[in-house]
Each structure stands twice: as C-alpha cells, then as structure tokens.
Amino acid sequence: MTTKTKDYKVELRVDGIIHVHYNAGTKVTVETLKELQQVYAQITTIKRPFIFTGDEFVSITTDARRYAAEMDQTNPSLGHVFVAKNLAQKILAQYYFKFNRPKHPLKVVGSFEEGIHYIHMNYQLHEMV
C-alpha cells in the first residue's frame, strides 16, 4: 500500500518495511506528523521497522520536533533507520537525535540499500502476502 502527497510518500513494502520519503523542500509540521500518524494506522496494525529517506532541503519545525517525541511513543515502529545521503544530512541527523532521543532503536546509514540490509539483518519482518 502506498500513500502520496506533495510532501511525502509512505509505502508498506512487500517485505514488511514501512518506507517514509520526504519530498524536496518539505517543511515538516505538526500537521504533517498528524497526517502521517493516520497513514500509519491505515497501513498496519502491527509494529514494523521504518526507513526514512528525504530529498534536499527538508526541514522540521520546532513544534514538530517536540510532537515527534510524543508521537514516537505511539507509532507502530520496531525501530527507525534514517538514510543520510551526504555528510550534511548525517551531521544534522546525529545532532537531532542527540537532543531528541527516540524510544525505539535507531540507525543512521549512508544509503537506502544499506538501510534495507540493516533491517533485514536485525529485525524479524512480517512480509505482505
């Protein structure tokens, strides 16, 4: 199942991984995160690993950062993998997670393929049939 908007795409892959991709220039707000919560509830009733990717110039508001910490407690997530395609994204991700510690396991990787491999090696997946 896939849900697309101008800001993001959420896909429940056949291997059971939820892929969230933010489009270029997206400003993540509390409203964006609330929409995503509804999408997650529609596509899965069990906990699954998430992989997050994004194009350039994705930003998150201060209120959204705070809300994301609350949201982390109720998300259907086993763990999060964030893809940082370049050094700037990696530094920003590490800075963000230093001050916003997630409740679920977290891994920052350099490529989508590396993230998928990490998930397959570290999580029991509930594949789609």
Side-chain angles (χ1 to χ4, degrees), residues 30-128:
V30 171
E31 291 74 29
T32 307
L33 295 178
K34 287 181 179 181
E35 284 177 27
L36 286 168
Q37 276 185 301
Q38 292 175 350
V39 171
Y40 302 157
Q42 291 171 1
I43 65 174
T44 190
T45 58
I46 62 173
K47 291 186 179 278
R48 298 178 182 278
F50 280 62
I51 186 166
F52 293 88
T53 59
D55 293 327
E56 294 179 333
F57 308 114
V58 173
S59 63
I60 184 167
T61 66
T62 301
D63 289 340
R65 270 195 327 235
R66 289 185 194 119
Y67 185 76
E70 295 172 29
M71 186 177 155
D72 191 37
Q73 297 175 28
T74 59
N75 272 352
S77 174
L78 290 172
H80 303 121
V81 173
F82 286 84
V83 178
K85 296 182 204 171
N86 57 48
L87 182 59
Q89 286 180 345
K90 185 175 183 177
I91 290 169
L92 287 172
Q94 290 173 336
Y95 178 81
Y96 175 82
F97 293 118
K98 181 177 182 177
F99 296 104
N100 300 281
R101 299 242 180 231
K103 302 289 184 232
H104 305 292
L106 166 75
K107 177 79 172 170
V108 177
V109 297
S111 71
F112 183 76
E113 293 77 19
E114 181 184 354
I116 294 298
H117 178 73
Y118 174 83
I119 290 171
H120 279 270
M121 298 306 293
N122 292 282
Y123 292 95
Q124 180 178 354
L125 300 176
H126 298 282
E127 295 181 359
M128 303 304 298

